[in-house]
Amino acid sequence: MKIVDLRSDTVTRPSQAMREVIANAEVGDDVFGDDPTVIKLQEMIAELLGKPAGIFFPSGTMSNQVGLRCLTDRGDEVIIEANAHIFRYEAASGAAINGLQFNTIEGNRGVITVGQIERRIRPTNDEHQPLTTLVCLENTHNRAGGALFPLDEIERIRELCLKHGIKTYLDGARLWNASAASGIPLNEYTKHFDLVSVCLSKGLGAPIGSVLVGDEKTIVLARRYRKAYGGGMRQVGIIAAAGMYAVEHNLHRLKDDHARAKKIAGTLKDLPGIKLHPVETNIVIFDVSGLDVTPEKIEDDLRERGLLIVGMGGGLLRAVCHLDVDDSDIDLACGIFEDYFKG
Ligand SMILES: Cc1ncc(COP(=O)(O)O)c(C=O)c1O
């Protein structure tokens, strides 16, 4: 049976051409700073994102946590949206490893406003209270369904943070998608943040890898923390090469994923009992809590029909478009949805 896997944009497999690039990559010991391919990738991503320097990581989680560590001290408080990946899905490492306290704000589709943030900043003249030293944003926002964070709100947030001496951090795992959907250049987003993390292993289709970008001094510090957190890697030009290939070949096609997500949305919106969330990029989230059948049962039933999607709790199911599904796969998925929910 043909399987259409829409669980995540992380399920893509390296193409033959990407595997050839991996096989032929020039490598060296990256802990010594000797891997020419890693150096090239870091420079390439830093330039693309308009920052002076970058550092390669094995995962978005490590990149985020090292990023947070660089911008805070233990015991500091970080303002963040309540459904942000850093808060919800990184196994409490912000608290457990970095010693941070999070002050969470329930956003509107992942977006928190400058007014909400301002009300959460702690006074600095009260020794009882932690110091607010960082605001974290996520763009696009995963749990909000690939939602875009508006640039004008980011600008206002940055201005507020500068006024208070608070640093800003962007979890830009899917910033590529944000830029593709909004038409706003990557550096127009990144210039409002001290550090930005982007993933190569999601929409871009690399097997591994994230890059953290910022100023030279902070990236040197990030190298120290990456080593401390066990992320110092050796001949990783083999995966950096895949990352470079992914940027060069797959960045321009993210709009196809967005169009396919809209196609799925077009099918789901008319199906009985389904509440579709707005679709802005490659992620489709829909609420099935109005149906008699549980999300888990729906997941199992669809799997039996050859369609893989994933539950997110709270009656929500998620389907994500990516490099390894084409128009015919999406037609197949839409047909399965229709048969199942109408039948
Ligand atoms: C918004 C966001 N940030 C960070 C990550 C973490 O990436 P990784 O799975 O590479 O640790 C993810 C993963 O899905 C994500 O969606």
Side-chain angles (χ1 to χ4, degrees), residues 75-77 101 122-132:
D76 283 355
E77 191 168 77
Q101 173 164 296
R122 306 276 187 172
T124 51
N125 59 356
D126 178 356
E127 69 191 37
H128 299 86
Q129 301 201 38
L131 291 171
T132 307

Side-chain angles (χ1 to χ4, degrees), residues 86-153:
I86 286 173
F87 179 65
R88 248 191 110 116
Y89 296 120
E90 298 190 3
S93 52
I97 301 174
N98 283 332
L100 296 170
Q101 173 164 296
F102 288 102
N103 191 331
T104 59
I105 300 172
E106 199 78 45
N108 177 12
R109 292 187 45 70
V111 176
I112 53 178
T113 65
V114 67
Q116 287 175 310
I117 292 171
E118 190 162 26
R119 289 191 287 281
R120 298 296 184 94
I121 296 173
R122 306 276 187 172
T124 51
N125 59 356
D126 178 356
E127 69 191 37
H128 299 86
Q129 301 201 38
L131 291 171
T132 307
T133 54
L134 185 66
V135 169
C136 285
L137 305 181
E138 184 175 314
N139 193 14
T140 66
H141 193 293
N142 181 353
R143 196 174 159 84
L148 298 170
F149 207 111
L151 184 61
D152 55 355
E153 199 61 43

